[in-house]
Amino acid sequence: QNLYGAGVGFIKLTGRYFSQIKCRGKNKYLGTFDTKEEANWAYQQARPAALNELVDALLAEGKITKKQAEIAKSNYGVIE
C-alpha cells in the first residue's frame, strides 16, 4: 500500500492521479483522475475482474481446485 492507496499514484507534472491494477504480472492502466478518491474508486471497480481472472487462470493451470476457486470468488465478492 502506498500513500494514495493500492493501485494509485500521483503525476507531479500534471497534478493528477492515475490508477492501475496488476494481474498475472501485467499492469492495466485505468486512467488519470482529478482526485485520489476517484483513482481509488477506479481501482476498486477493476479489482473483482482482476481477481476473477487470476482465480480462473490458477484453476486452468491446476494450481487450485474448483472448490478453492469457488471459495476465493465467494470471499472476494466476485460475481460471474
Side-chain angles (χ1 to χ4, degrees), residues 13 25 29 33 40 49 54 63:
L13 184 65
Y29 178 72
F33 305 89
N40 184 265
L54 174 61
K63 294 184 177 178

Side-chain angles (χ1 to χ4, degrees), residues 7-26:
V8 177
F10 183 71
I11 306 167
K12 285 185 181 181
L13 184 65
T14 62
R16 290 173 56 90
Y17 296 85
F18 68 91
S19 186
Q20 64 184 10
I21 194 161
K22 190 172 192 172
C23 184
R24 310 272 303 151
K26 296 181 182 178

Side-chain angles (χ1 to χ4, degrees), residues 5-70:
V8 177
F10 183 71
I11 306 167
K12 285 185 181 181
L13 184 65
T14 62
R16 290 173 56 90
Y17 296 85
F18 68 91
S19 186
Q20 64 184 10
I21 194 161
K22 190 172 192 172
C23 184
R24 310 272 303 151
K26 296 181 182 178
N27 282 329
K28 180 179 179 184
Y29 178 72
L30 303 174
T32 58
F33 305 89
D34 292 328
T35 68
K36 62 184 175 187
E37 291 81 12
E38 290 172 324
N40 184 265
W41 181 86
Y43 175 84
Q44 295 302 326
Q45 295 302 304
R47 191 168 182 256
L51 290 170
N52 192 51
E53 180 183 331
L54 174 61
V55 169
D56 287 346
L58 292 173
L59 180 60
E61 293 168 8
K63 294 184 177 178
I64 61 173
T65 66
K66 186 173 181 178
K67 182 67 175 173
Q68 289 170 320
E70 290 169 2

